[in-house]
Amino acid sequence: MDRDNRVQTLSEADCLRLLGTVPVGRVVYTEHALPAVLPVAFEVGPDGRLVLALRAGGTVVRALDGTVAAFQADRLDPATRTGWSVLVHGRAEVVRDPALHEHLLLTGPRPWIDGERQVFVLLTPELVSGRELHTCAHGAQLGTGRPH
Amino acid sequence: MDRDNRVQTLSEADCLRLLGTVPVGRVVYTEHALPAVLPVAFEVGPDGRLVLALRAGGTVVRALDGTVAAFQADRLDPATRTGWSVLVHGRAEVVRDPALHEHLLLTGPRPWIDGERQVFVLLTPELVSGRELHTCAHGAQLGTGRPH
């Protein structure tokens, strides 16, 4: 039996659907010329863009704005060694439109760290990849409940 | 009340101790000139180096070997919005010594994806940083059970 069959590549649609099932992901940015990783509250917006909720004034917001960023989220079960991981690359832009900012304050994700002011960063997915690990025993997929 | 007091910077010792409490982290490497993030089973070795368990033949092993890599792990509770996140930078090297490889096969972490052969990568921490988020209400820290 090829044990590699535990790994399944996910479609872009499945990746975005799975991203919508978790409240936090990890944004990768560059700080002091090294890659940094920060857990961030986020949601998948109705237009497919990721809405990241951050505290204003952090270095991460300055580092992200106007760049191509990477964003990763996963759900992993150490007991069964199953789960999924999704990676998104895309342009990140701070929301500067006051009306959109107000709208997101009411309807969008809240940053994990409360602060005086919050900032929303929109990440437009350009490359989306992901994979799912499932058990050899029954071939069931986590998170989808249906075969591909 | 300054709500920023929810964030606490962790000492290197606390970072390494917390890393030892989780079975999986995320390694950051470069693929096609873009940052990629992969969940990886790992352990903190007795000498403080991180032992990553990977499947042989993957692009990630080639991308990591001999480079300065970033490794991140966290434990986050969406219900209370508390938790911790630790980031390690250091040199990654594939274990080539047959005796050490055999030893790690017996005692080290198992890769999440089983395969014909497995590879261990040692990551020597050079920069270690982390932070913990705790609730304003009682100032208790997740994962430590004691005040700093």
Side-chain angles (χ1 to χ4, degrees), chain B residues 33 80 95 113 127 146:
Chain B
T80 59
V95 172
I113 305 172
L127 292 170
R146 56 178 175 76

Side-chain angles (χ1 to χ4, degrees), chain B residues 44-59:
Chain B
V44 181
D47 58 1
R49 288 190 291 184
L50 309 188
V51 184
L52 318 187
L54 293 148
R55 200 170 45 152
T59 55

Side-chain angles (χ1 to χ4, degrees), chain A residues 9-114:
Chain A
T9 300
L10 293 168
S11 69
E12 179 170 337
D14 276 342
C15 287
L16 292 175
R17 183 182 50 73
L18 287 168
L19 283 180
T21 67
V22 291
V24 63
R26 295 158 198 91
V27 70
V28 180
Y29 61 103
T30 301
E31 191 173 46
H32 305 309
L34 288 171
V37 183
L38 186 75
V40 173
F42 83 108
E43 287 177 6
V44 182
D47 58 2
R49 287 190 291 183
L50 309 189
V51 184
L52 317 188
L54 293 148
R55 199 170 44 150
T59 55
V60 57
V61 171
R62 283 195 300 277
L64 281 177
D65 193 23
T67 69
V68 172
F71 186 82
Q72 185 266 355
D74 55 45
R75 178 171 281 166
L76 303 167
D77 179 359
T80 58
R81 301 174 88 84
T82 56
W84 56 265
S85 177
V86 165
L87 183 64
V88 173
H89 292 95
R91 181 159 293 275
E93 282 174 297
V94 170
V95 171
R96 293 197 169 78
D97 176 59
L100 179 54
H101 182 81
E102 286 299 314
H103 177 71
L104 290 171
L105 280 175
L106 295 172
T107 64
R110 278 173 49 218
W112 268 50
I113 305 172
D114 292 321

Side-chain angles (χ1 to χ4, degrees), chain B residues 22 57 69 72 85 108 111-112 114 125 130 132 139:
Chain B
V22 291
Q72 185 267 354
S85 177
W112 268 50
D114 292 322
E132 195 158 29

Side-chain angles (χ1 to χ4, degrees), chain B residues 124-136:
Chain B
T124 306
E126 289 162 22
L127 292 170
V128 180
S129 60
R131 56 188 201 162
E132 195 158 29
L133 309 185
H134 50 85
T135 56
C136 289

